[in-house]
Amino acid sequence: MIPGTAGSVELTDAPEPPDGDGAVLVEGLAVGVCGTDREIVAGEYGEAPPAAQRLVIGHESLGRVLEAPDGAGLEPGDLAVGIVRRPDPVPCANCAAGEWDMCRNGRFTERGIKGRHGYASERYRLEPEFAVRLDPGLDRVGVLMEPTSVVAKAWEHLERIGHRAAWAPRKVLVTGAGPIGLLAALLGVQRGWDVRVLDRVRTGVKPQLVADLGATYHTDLSDVDSDSDVIIECTGAAPLVADVMARNAHNAVVCLTGVSSRGRPLEVDVGGLNRDIVLQNDVVFGSVNANRRHYEQAAVALSRADRGWLERLVTRRVPIGDFADALDRRDGDVKVVLDIAR
């Protein structure tokens, strides 16, 4: 597609990926579709590689290794996921330390989003350090790796912040039962927490997925006790963001992963919110993207999860020839996957 031009997405032939993209040649199996892809296709943002007019989209990848050099940690036939972000060329202090998800100057690039072609392709290349091997048993659900890496980072940072003092957390509230929210709940359950999930949908697959995790599903925030030690906000819905920050236990940590829209005025008692945060020693922080460590954490979490539950998270699989159907949001969708190799 042509970034910034709505309606320019199309399925087309492309040359073989250049060797300069990386020494690992991968056969594309599937890509996940998310709100970011839909916004890029709508022309809201996105950036083609230098000297290119078009951008290959797709950042939630799953592929099979075709070629890999000695010492890459990968063999032909392995399942592999490509990391999305690449460090900036300066690099900043964080990028230099492998923490490119915390880039300070914004000069990073991202596969399928900013300055680099994505993974919605029959073949692509990866640098070995940006390719993560996946359990071979995850061939049907490994495309969930990228969103799982996002919540793995959120959990890692939550726990780092929580350990600023004697911390004995018990309860977590996740707002939003989309892929990010459900995967955040999964990682909370794997940690042995009492997990509550809030979403407005009353029927369909979401309540059952939450119940099958052993978590509790709510459709009204007023039904959720105001004693959550951790809140992971995954909707970006501005009124809900403000409400959940006022409904937690003392010393709570609130992680915002949902991205809100600009230009929607909201009446908030900032003084009251500030008072509560200060007097209760609360922390509110944002989290986005992931580095290699978080992808590796995600790979472990997925390998420990029930495969049937993960498969039900993928509510639609669409062949690449029907890509427009995959980009169309439907009621009942959780995760939509575009199958490249069928």
Side-chain angles (χ1 to χ4, degrees):
M1 69 159 295
I2 302 172
T5 303
S8 64
V9 64
E10 63 179 355
L11 184 63
T12 186
D13 290 331
E16 289 293 325
D19 292 348
D21 281 358
V24 180
L25 180 64
V26 179
E27 175 193 16
L29 300 179
V31 292
V33 176
C34 74
T36 296
D37 300 299
R38 295 185 176 101
E39 290 166 358
I40 292 173
V41 168
E44 296 180 22
Y45 56 89
E47 180 184 324
Q53 182 185 27
R54 307 187 72 89
L55 171 71
V56 177
I57 62 171
H59 60 280
E60 299 180 4
S61 72
L62 176 65
R64 193 175 301 281
V65 175
L66 297 174
E67 300 173 3
D70 292 341
L74 294 162
E75 300 289 341
D78 284 348
L79 290 179
V81 167
I83 292 172
V84 176
R85 184 171 288 192
R86 301 293 186 274
D88 68 72
V90 174
C92 73
N94 284 331
C95 285
E99 306 280 349
W100 53 77
D101 54 308
M102 303 292 287
C103 180
R104 292 179 60 88
N105 63 23
R107 295 182 61 188
F108 58 84
T109 55
E110 292 178 319
R111 298 290 298 254
I113 302 173
K114 181 187 177 189
R116 288 179 184 255
H117 286 311
Y119 300 121
S121 180
E122 290 178 313
R123 286 176 295 282
Y124 49 85
R125 286 187 174 274
L126 294 168
E127 311 93 324
E129 63 270 30
F130 292 99
V132 182
R133 185 180 179 277
L134 203 56
D135 185 321
L138 295 172
D139 58 326
R140 291 282 296 170
V141 294
V143 74
L144 297 171
M145 177 86 142
E146 192 275 342
T148 307
S149 74
V150 171
V151 295
K153 173 189 174 177
W155 271 106
E156 178 190 273
H157 286 205
L158 281 162
E159 291 171 337
R160 287 187 183 184
I161 294 168
H163 285 295
R164 63 196 162 140
W167 202 44
R170 297 175 299 114
K171 296 183 178 181
V172 58
L173 170 64
V174 177
T175 56
I180 293 292
L182 289 167
L183 290 167
L186 168 68
L187 269 63
V189 169
Q190 288 182 343
R191 285 163 166 76
W193 288 42
D194 174 8
V195 177
R196 289 84 60 87
V197 177
L198 176 73
D199 195 281
R200 62 186 178 182
V201 174
R202 297 181 179 274
T203 60
V205 67
K206 290 181 178 181
Q208 191 59 54
L209 283 167
V210 172
D212 290 346
L213 274 181
T216 306
Y217 190 84
H218 297 275
T219 56
D220 192 326
L221 185 59
S222 64
D223 293 334
V224 182
D225 293 337
S226 300
D227 61 350
S228 297
D229 301 294
V230 161
I231 295 175
I232 306 178
E233 207 298 304
C234 305
T235 70
L240 184 58
V241 172
D243 287 343
V244 298
M245 285 195 293
R247 297 180 63 85
N248 51 39
H250 284 220
N251 306 324
V253 185
V254 179
C255 177
L256 307 179
T257 67
V259 180
S260 304
S261 300
R262 297 182 185 273
R264 297 182 181 179
L266 182 66
E267 202 169 293
V268 177
D269 180 0
V270 176
L273 187 60
N274 173 77
R275 181 182 178 86
D276 288 344
I277 290 174
V278 172
L279 295 182
Q280 295 181 17
N281 288 302
D282 293 341
V283 173
V284 180
F285 75 100
S287 182
V288 69
N289 208 267
N291 63 45
R292 184 180 180 94
R293 181 175 67 253
H294 306 127
Y295 277 81
E296 292 169 346
Q297 293 168 3
V300 172
L302 290 177
S303 69
R304 293 174 52 199
D306 179 80
R307 304 293 164 84
W309 187 88
L310 292 173
E311 287 204 26
R312 286 189 291 130
L313 206 65
V314 179
T315 46
R316 278 200 295 141
R317 293 183 180 272
V318 180
I320 193 168
D322 298 327
F323 68 89
D325 186 43
L327 292 167
D328 181 35
R329 192 189 303 273
R330 296 183 184 177
D331 291 341
D333 281 346
V334 178
K335 173 52 68 179
V336 179
V337 170
L338 188 62
D339 279 330
I340 299 171
R342 298 198 71 170

